[in-house]
Amino acid sequence: MAQVVLKQINKFYDSVHAVKDVNLQIRDKEFVVFVGPSGCGKTTTLRMIAGLEAISSGDISIGGQVVNELAPMDRDIAMVFQNYALYPHMSVFDNMAFGLKMRKFDKSEIVTRVNHAADILGIQELLKRKPRQLSGGQRQRVALGRAIVRHPQVFLFDEPLSNLDAKLRVQMRVELKKLHQRLGTTAVYVTHDQVEAMTLGDRVVVMKDGWVQQVGEPLELYNQPANKFVAGFIGSPAMNFSTVTVTERDGGLTAVNGGMNIVVPPHLVDRLKPHANQQMTLGIRPEDLRVANGSDPAGLSFDSKVEVIEQLGSEILLDVRVGDGTMVASVEPTTRTKIQESLRLAMNPARLHFFDAKTEAAV
Amino acid sequence: MAVEAVSTTLGSAPPPRRQRLLEDERWLAFALLVPTVVLLGMFIAYPFIRGIMLSVTNSRVGVEGEFVGLANYYKVWNDSIFRTAVYNTFFYTAVTSVFKLALGLWLAMLLNRNFRGKAFTRAFILLPFIIPTVLSTFAWKWMFDPTFSVINWTLYQLGAITGRINWLGDPDLAMASIIVVNIWRGVPFFAISLLAGLQTISPELNEAAAIDGAKPWHRFWYITWPLLLPVTMVVLLFSVIQTFADFQIVYVMTGGGPANATHLFATYAYQIGVGTGLLSEGAAISLAMFPILFLVVIVQLLYIRRVEVR
């Protein structure tokens, strides 16, 4: 029963317009991730939902109630901070119990709830310790515990995993996902890590410069990015972009630049026709490139020169020079090649992206 | 090969003797400690020991005096002015410390907020602390002057009084006056030190507490106050020591009067030892402060350690 609705949300800091016209309906039990580079307004948006920042204009409602004027404590939310924000002078138990004490819960109820949360998170034996006696991962669990004991309507997460080392981050990511599946509480999660966004979110909101760029399910963002920014932000390694000129030839369209001469696949021809004889940005993901074999049509492959070889075990990343630009290709781990060697690469025609060179919107 | 070459060069040309001495850590430590030991010895240990020695003689200005045991202490103990001074010192220290802490904390919390002209205000707050105490106390003395008092004038214009109040002529009012000046002079130290302490407390903790449902008063009591406590105790420790041994304000404002009603340890010791020339008795009065201050320091240091270990 706790959907969160953002209606025309704006935030100004003096002359800085930090968040611009954000509209979003977060469904009950949904896990929504805000992702974007630093300074994009994602954390500010989260803090406005929490009530830690005033809203300059617009409405935020939680569970059907407009909360613009409500203090954080009256919004029935819980928040996990980037630095955990555990009370350093209190034991783990007291940290988790604090919110319940402030809300005047019975002693026995507090003990039951804290123990239950500690069980879920596997921190039962840490309850007597102080935060500084805990490792980063344990502190993270306590911060989560403090959030879940209250049974709030909404969880807010502000980059909760960014202070953990890479291995622990992957582990906690999985645990967070499990926790959400178990509790089913609506969650809003802020991160700058697109992998976290893709793996955790039911839906992902990509932001940049205060604007929402695209809202969608992870694969939707990956497969149909709305613009060049989303295309480049989602996916790792990032999508390759090259500037091409679209020209009409033999009744079809061809995308041409110094190193490539790509025949535009039939399903894109109609959409690209209005852009004939214009510059466009061609996008292709590294994983949609492969080493060409003899049967690949000339119109879907191009020559390149290998500059850097990155062996990842499961794949090989090749940094290659194409014309006067560079690209990254993710190829089979069995591929044999050498630096400075010429290599012909083929692209998957179904997975070509074209963006307007000026507006950067997907075509 | 390279290593060998280096060791051969070193071996063939031993460093001069002085350099070798400095490479010996025991010698180096000694050399580095000497200046401190000399300074502490000359300016703290020697006067302290000399004071103790003076206090067990009957020396006066110009008279070397002889050993008289604890006679001076005995005399001081039975001196009613001394007893008043002891009471005054405790009263003065307790009242001013409470007010300085409360006002300083309040100011620090205000200054910890974001507002226009924050840096300027912070600097401005420090003024009473920066002005030489004797100068600012003279200004206060004028304000409390029975004839020229700006306070009397204001109260008179407001219709609150009809006659003049003799601020420094009445024992209770005089004590109240020096307390006011001490508070005025001491609050900036509390405010700035506590502000520094407040700034080490992450604002996220207060935000987390706000979301946890803590009202502003609860946030102060459960989060800010306990986290600030180590700093508070240190600031309080310094302030208590300084106030307990305060001299300038009382000396300038009342000189211990009227009728010895506002004497503190330090002013009375000065009056007896220097004013009257009874050096040994003055030393005894000063030294009577020592065990009390020593106890205060021990208790507070132990407390600070406990708080920090938490």
Side-chain angles (χ1 to χ4, degrees), chain A residues 226-240:
Chain A
N227 57 36
K228 190 180 161 194
F229 175 77
V230 176
F233 196 79
I234 302 291
S236 172
M239 185 185 278
N240 297 300

Side-chain angles (χ1 to χ4, degrees), chain A residues 47 52 73 77 79 81 83 85-90 98-99 102-103 132 146 150, chain B residues 116 204-205 207-215 218 222-223 226-227 308-310:
Chain A
R47 289 171 61 86
L52 297 172
M73 58 184 282
I77 45 141
M79 183 154 165
F81 291 83
N83 300 316
L86 298 178
Y87 311 126
H89 56 299
M90 295 184 197
F98 187 72
M102 289 298 111
R103 288 181 157 77
R132 70 189 145 71
R146 189 169 65 179
R150 293 231 325 271
Chain B
R116 233 175 260 277
E204 278 190 354
L205 292 179
E207 293 177 352
I211 290 175
D212 264 344
K215 298 190 173 67
H218 286 138
Y222 290 112
I223 309 295
L227 289 176
E308 276 178 348
V309 165
R310 278 202 307 190

